[in-house]
Amino acid sequence: MWQGTRAKDWLLLGVCLMATVGSVAGRAYRSEDDGLLAVGAFFGACTVVAIKILVDRRRAHQTRLRAPGASAMPGQVPIVPNRRRVVGVALGIAALGAFMAVTGASVGRAFVIMSVLLATLGLALLVASALGRGAPTLTFTPLGLRVENRVLTFLVPWDEVYIRLYVLREQDFIALTLKRPEETARNADVRRGDAARERAKLDLRFRRTRKWAGDDFHIAPAAYDVDMETMLRALQRYATDPAARAELAHRVS
């Protein structure tokens, strides 16, 4: 087995691949059934996701082998999310959902509804990206991790955060649990809108995330074109080793 991957990752790939091939083969024999095109498109997209999961797990394993020690991140340099990737994914989801909705009528009403919801999700992601409500900008500073979006900026102090890996539907995230989330929200620097209202919204977001996930804030390193293992180790290192934070005092590109 490919090192770093799991048996269920390969099982997911096998099931999706067989379903895709079966749909394409069925369409070849029943050229009038567009529903098979819709099913094939869906499982084809699932196959792509399964391949990405395998590649990401393999890459993380290789990173652990190459750098078994501590990891570092550039200090005082804003790490900006890759907007092009977000827009590309959103367009892909919207196009897939629209195609499935148009061609999947013969599959059933539930399938069409699911397809419309998928297309709507893609459009919502596009709108969110256009409004700057996607992944925030991150900056590693000696005092903590600075998180910034178009509305406000807040600081996650290194001494007041617990960091772990969080897996949601086979996707890896970095979860941050704040010791005093209400104080973090209260000290946020608001640049747009009513300060009290935006701070209250941030506090509510923390509480909602804590309720359903057990943490206050999540980071998806893939959105920044940063390796998961590298960012996770760096965050954990700065959160647990005060001496390491000195390297973040100077701007390093």
Side-chain angles (χ1 to χ4, degrees):
M1 184 179 294
W2 221 17
Q3 288 187 323
T5 61
R6 303 173 301 181
K8 69 176 185 178
D9 299 329
W10 289 98
L11 178 61
L12 175 64
L13 175 61
V15 170
C16 293
L17 189 58
M18 285 190 295
T20 303
V21 173
S23 300
V24 173
R27 183 61 166 75
Y29 286 100
R30 298 170 57 186
S31 59
E32 73 285 351
D33 190 354
D34 288 340
L36 289 172
L37 282 178
V39 174
F42 174 76
F43 282 106
C46 292
T47 300
V48 173
V49 172
I51 292 173
K52 184 181 183 302
I53 290 173
L54 287 169
V55 171
D56 287 346
R57 294 199 188 284
R58 172 61 174 170
R59 186 176 298 158
H61 178 75
Q62 290 177 326
T63 300
R64 287 192 292 270
L65 292 179
R66 289 197 308 268
S71 295
M73 295 294 290
Q76 308 290 342
V77 178
I79 303 174
V80 181
N82 188 335
R83 303 293 183 191
R84 290 184 178 180
R85 170 176 291 185
V86 174
V87 170
V89 170
L91 284 173
I93 292 174
L96 175 64
F99 179 80
M100 289 166 52
V102 171
T103 60
S106 64
V107 180
R109 177 179 296 180
F111 184 85
V112 174
I113 293 175
M114 181 194 73
S115 303
V116 171
L117 291 176
L118 188 63
T120 303
L121 173 62
L123 293 176
L125 290 174
L126 278 175
V127 173
S129 179
L131 295 177
R133 296 190 179 276
T137 297
L138 308 176
T139 306
F140 285 72
T141 76
L143 297 178
L145 180 70
R146 188 163 63 238
V147 183
E148 178 180 359
N149 59 29
R150 62 190 294 271
V151 175
L152 54 76
T153 301
F154 63 89
L155 184 72
V156 178
W158 296 124
D159 290 327
E160 298 185 8
V161 62
Y162 170 74
I163 299 162
R164 70 181 180 95
L165 177 66
Y166 177 77
V167 181
L168 176 65
R169 296 185 180 89
E170 298 300 321
Q171 296 299 306
D172 294 338
F173 297 87
I174 296 175
L176 289 78
T177 303
L178 309 177
K179 291 183 180 179
R180 295 181 293 177
E182 66 287 343
E183 183 170 337
T184 298
R186 188 166 54 248
N187 294 332
D189 178 24
V190 179
R191 296 186 302 280
R192 295 188 180 185
D194 180 74
R197 185 180 64 181
E198 294 301 331
R199 287 169 182 152
K201 287 168 62 177
L202 178 62
D203 182 58
L204 179 61
R205 194 181 314 147
F206 286 155
R207 285 189 278 114
R208 284 178 174 173
T209 306
R210 175 74 69 94
K211 184 177 181 179
W212 66 264
D215 305 283
D216 301 302
F217 181 65
H218 295 147
I219 297 174
Y224 304 89
D225 290 332
V226 177
D227 177 76
M228 165 64 75
E229 191 73 19
T230 299
M231 183 174 283
L232 177 62
R233 285 186 181 185
L235 285 167
Q236 291 176 332
R237 176 173 172 244
Y238 297 132
T240 57
D241 183 5
R245 302 167 195 168
E247 67 191 39
L248 300 173
H250 304 287
R251 185 182 178 93
V252 179
S253 56

